Amino acid sequence: MRTLISTAFVSLDGVVEAPGGEPGYRNSGWTFKDVEFLPEAFEIKEREQKEATAMMMGRISYEAFSPVWPGMEDFADYNVMPKYVVSTTLAEENLVSNWGETTILRSLDDVAALKETEGGPIIVHGSASLNQALSDAGLIDRYHLLVFPLLLGAGKRLFSATDKDTQKLRLVEHEAYANGLQKNVFEVVR
């Protein structure tokens, strides 16, 4: 069974929307505008590229990342790995041709079936709605969270407000940095 890892930049109040400057959100770019950059706080991002064997995202994140990431040196390891886009609306003809093998998954059942295949970890980037759906369905195995010392108020959240049974997590790695960032790695307890 493959491990599904959710990775996110998240504010202390749970917002994940527009961390890199995506348009349309009041606090867009909050990860670099409001907190001093310390390279050591982002070590986990490089490690994720080395550990992951595939990448998953929702349609909105795919449409934001696919024109940019293939040409970025910082994300070179992601170029060669298979990508999975979970979407009911994305058409095959809208996939980019310069970012390696990409498969569209049409449902959470497709995600569950993918997890049952052979292979290594799958990393989920961005994709607030997808993360919420995967979490609510019990499909996420691990969370890699870089928590920023900011309260953003409104915005897309990492976790849904769905009324559900308690999901226990085990903290397996953590570190606090001089700029106030916290790295928290949680495994989902089954």
Side-chain angles (χ1 to χ4, degrees):
M1 184 160 177
R2 299 176 81 168
T3 302
L4 194 59
I5 302 167
S6 171
T7 182
F9 295 142
V10 60
S11 68
L12 190 58
D13 58 347
V15 174
V16 294
E17 187 168 355
E22 300 81 356
Y25 175 61
R26 173 184 172 162
N27 294 313
S28 184
W30 50 271
T31 58
F32 60 87
K33 286 184 193 173
D34 300 317
V35 179
E36 174 193 0
F37 178 75
L38 292 179
E40 61 270 23
F42 295 88
E43 168 277 332
I44 193 167
K45 305 317 282 175
E46 183 177 333
R47 192 169 14 129
E48 287 170 349
Q49 285 189 70
K50 302 296 184 206
E51 178 183 2
T53 60
M55 185 166 53
M56 182 179 289
M57 65 207 91
R59 179 192 52 83
I60 293 170
S61 292
Y62 177 79
E63 289 174 345
F65 298 158
S66 64
V68 180
W69 281 23
M72 292 181 72
E73 209 171 294
D74 289 347
F75 301 117
D77 290 332
Y78 287 135
N79 289 341
V80 296
M81 69 177 60
K83 285 148 209 77
Y84 298 94
V85 182
V86 183
S87 174
T88 58
T89 59
L90 184 67
E92 293 283 338
E93 60 267 13
N94 296 111
L95 297 176
V96 299
S97 61
N98 65 335
W99 205 22
E101 174 191 343
T102 303
T103 303
I104 300 172
L105 303 177
R106 297 296 183 192
S107 69
L108 293 180
D109 288 338
D110 290 344
V111 174
L114 175 64
K115 283 187 62 173
E116 295 294 328
T117 63
E118 294 293 319
I122 302 167
I123 193 100
V124 181
H125 278 284
S127 309
S129 298
L130 176 59
N131 264 289
Q132 290 177 7
L134 293 170
S135 178
D136 288 350
L139 293 172
I140 295 177
D141 301 296
R142 191 175 351 146
Y143 292 94
H144 292 184
L145 306 178
L146 277 179
V147 182
F148 284 70
L150 302 169
L151 299 175
L152 299 175
K156 293 178 185 175
R157 306 277 192 228
L158 181 61
F159 299 104
S160 76
T162 302
D163 185 15
K164 58 186 174 194
D165 291 339
T166 300
Q167 176 66 73
K168 187 170 179 170
L169 306 174
R170 179 176 41 254
L171 183 66
V172 295
E173 183 181 344
H174 63 92
E175 192 162 350
Y177 302 94
N179 62 357
L181 258 68
Q182 296 176 34
K183 173 179 62 181
N184 294 298
V185 176
F186 294 99
E187 288 182 353
V188 174
V189 177
R190 304 262 183 233

